[in-house]
Structures are given as structure tokens and as C-alpha cells.
Amino acid sequence: AQSVTQPDIHITVSEGASLELRCNYSYGATPYLFWYVQSPGQGLQLLLKYFSGDTLVQGIKGFEAEFKRSQSSFNLRKPSVHWSDAAEYFCAVGAQEYGNKLVFGAGTILRVKS
Amino acid sequence: EPEVTQTPSHQVTQMGQEVILRCVPISNHLYFYWYRQILGQKVEFLVSFYNNEISEKSEIFDDQFSVERPDGSNFTLKIRSTKLEDSAMYFCASSTDTYEQYFGPGTRLTVT
């Protein structure tokens, strides 16, 4: 069965520090990969996506993610975190072979210390 | 920037009552979806809708659930007889193709 794992439930970083949020997936197919962010009371905002091509993708708000097929990973990174980045981050995966639904990870809550 | 909207933001209902959650997808999108997130759990796919019919549904989407696109702009999720375990945040999403899905802010459904 398809699954997405975000091993870190909570992460706390200092403002200005770098950030990496981990995502691993288990799929029997070529996946499409996404990161979404959810601020309190808000919907899920698409940060970035990977379909094919360059394995390092750039997104909004200064985020990037790298697809590593050998590790079945799609980790989200940001070189310098801002206090406004505090939110919950979700990794999601889709695959044509499994229809058009997205499978989500459990989410990682990011706290930013000033 | 176009966005998906959902109403109401919060709905409280009694067990056994019918509820209708409403969504207005982005206007040029063709694919529509409902997901839900029970408090503390993952976001789960419920159903997808294309060309006026359900294209895929999950095991959660049983006979108590139905979806409809009653006009050119709205997309609704109906729960016929709500149960306590239906309490969750329900997200509507839409897309031009089958993958880059844009989500609404959600409706928090509380069943008492």
C-alpha cells in the first residue's frame, strides 16, 4: 500500500537557522510529490511540487525540496527560517497508477524561536 | 489570486442529522475533491469528481456520503445521517489536471 512518512512530529528551530523537514514515501510507481503548509485556521497551501526533471525544486517563500529516488525521500529545506514560517507542513504523494488522490503524511509542526 | 472557498467555516450538528458542506472551486478547474482530517490524524482522501461524476472514492466514502455539482460553480458534500466519528475538518480541493490540487480553508464539522 502507498504510504508517506514524516518522522518528525514537532521541530523547533531558531529564527535565521536552517531547516530540513523529512519525508519518505513507499510507492510502487513513479510518484508525484508535494509539500503543503497549513497555518492555524487556514487551508493547505501548495509550497512546491515535483513531477519530473531536475530533482531539486524551488517553491514559494524561499523553500526548496530535493527528490532522491534511491532513498525514497523528498525533504523540504529552507536556508534561513523566519518567524512567519511557523506552521504545520505536510508531504503528499500521488501517482498515476493509483488514481488521482493524494496520500498525505502525518505532518510536522514547525516552531520558530526568536 | 483565485482560491477555493468553503462554507461554513464551522458547522455543529446533532448525530443523525444531515449536513451539506459547500465549496466553490477555482473557476477554470475541472477536477474536484473532498478530503478530511480527523483531529490529530492525517489528511485522508474521500472522493474525486470529474465530468459530473465520481472518478474515485475511498473506503470512507460510503452510502452516507454523496457529492454534487448543482450548478457551474458549487461543489457540495452531503452526509445523510451524521455520526460522532464524522467530526473532522473537511477540505475541498480543485485542479486543472489530476495532481496540482489547490485546497480551500476547510469546514470544521462537529457532531454532538
Side-chain angles (χ1 to χ4, degrees), chain B residues 17-101:
Chain B
Q17 296 297 303
E18 175 184 286
V19 294
I20 298 176
L21 309 183
R22 290 183 168 80
C23 168
V24 178
I26 295 172
S27 62
N28 64 335
H29 285 187
L30 302 175
Y31 298 83
F32 313 112
Y33 314 83
W34 284 101
Y35 291 79
R36 79 173 185 189
Q37 184 181 30
I38 295 173
L39 188 64
Q41 298 186 24
K42 295 183 179 184
V43 177
E44 303 172 287
F45 169 80
L46 291 178
V47 65
S48 58
F49 191 85
Y50 171 70
N51 201 25
N52 282 318
E53 61 183 25
I54 291 173
S55 50
E56 188 175 358
K57 61 183 180 180
S58 71
E59 293 177 350
I60 303 167
F61 195 88
D62 61 21
D63 292 343
Q64 292 300 309
F65 292 88
S66 62
V67 289
E68 190 178 31
R69 188 155 164 81
D71 53 42
S73 60
N74 290 283
F75 179 52
T76 62
L77 174 69
K78 182 193 290 187
I79 309 174
R80 291 191 181 81
S81 178
T82 50
K83 303 187 282 284
L84 293 176
E85 54 264 38
D86 294 327
S87 295
M89 181 74 88
Y90 288 80
F91 292 105
C92 174
S94 69
S95 66
T96 52
D97 55 30
T98 55
Y99 292 108
E100 191 168 339
Q101 298 177 21

